[in-house]
Amino acid sequence: MSRMGHKALILVHLLGFAAYLGAGFAQQQFMKRSSAAALAGALRDEYERLAAQIVTMIELPALLTQLLSGIGFLIMTPAWLHQPWLHGKLTCVVALLVLSHAEMFNARKIVKARASQGDAAGQEIAARKKRHELMGAVGSLAVVVLMALVAQGTG
């Protein structure tokens, strides 16, 4: 691949990372704010829907963009597969893929429960929101470890 192609791949990878981080932060904030006691029901419902849409339409596609561009890097430089830091990074990426999918399914179930049962699903939804927050915290930790591994590998 040409030098220009390599730089374009880096740009795509970094844009995917930025979109993933932004979407992850936004969907977690919407879910968190949807739990405020004084929040009007319609706004609460919209926050829950937005969280589900963000993880589905932005966070996961951004993560898949990173995955595909990362595969491009490995095709260009297969020697990286012998670097210990890369194995740690790939483990973090797999964890983030699993977590993002779990967040998506969880957020969608919150929206479905709210739509079908209304406030009667309050207990189930509250438990799902706590689980969602925990997944966000684990994902944040995985991102920090991933960044430390990348810094180690490029340093």
Side-chain angles (χ1 to χ4, degrees):
M1 179 178 272
S2 70
R3 182 173 164 84
M4 188 65 130
H6 185 260
K7 288 187 177 228
L9 195 58
I10 290 172
L11 177 63
V12 168
H13 199 70
L14 292 175
L15 287 173
F17 187 65
Y20 172 77
L21 287 179
F25 178 78
Q27 61 96 359
Q28 283 289 329
Q29 288 300 304
F30 277 121
M31 195 60 77
K32 182 181 195 179
R33 290 177 186 207
S34 73
S35 297
L39 195 63
L43 188 54
R44 174 203 61 208
D45 297 355
E46 186 61 21
Y47 281 176
E48 291 167 353
R49 280 191 295 273
L50 282 169
Q53 287 178 329
I54 289 168
V55 71
T56 303
M57 298 173 68
I58 302 171
E59 183 177 319
L60 273 168
L63 194 52
L64 292 174
T65 297
Q66 287 182 272
L67 182 64
L68 293 174
S69 58
I71 290 169
F73 288 129
L74 292 177
I75 290 170
M76 291 170 41
T77 316
W80 282 359
L81 289 170
H82 299 289
Q83 300 296 320
W85 67 270
L86 185 67
H87 296 274
K89 179 184 179 188
L90 294 175
T91 300
C92 289
V93 168
V94 169
L96 291 171
L97 277 167
V98 170
L99 282 168
S100 287
H101 279 85
E103 284 176 327
M104 177 186 69
F105 294 130
N106 191 59
R108 286 178 167 182
K109 286 181 181 178
I110 289 170
V111 171
K112 286 180 185 176
R114 182 80 65 201
S116 67
Q117 300 171 35
D119 290 335
Q123 228 175 359
E124 175 193 348
I125 290 171
R128 287 193 175 280
K129 285 183 179 182
K130 282 186 180 187
R131 190 175 314 136
H132 203 84
E133 186 177 358
L134 177 62
M135 288 185 279
V138 172
S140 295
L141 178 61
V143 167
V144 169
V145 171
L146 182 143
M147 291 177 68
L149 289 165
V150 170
Q152 176 192 3
T154 59

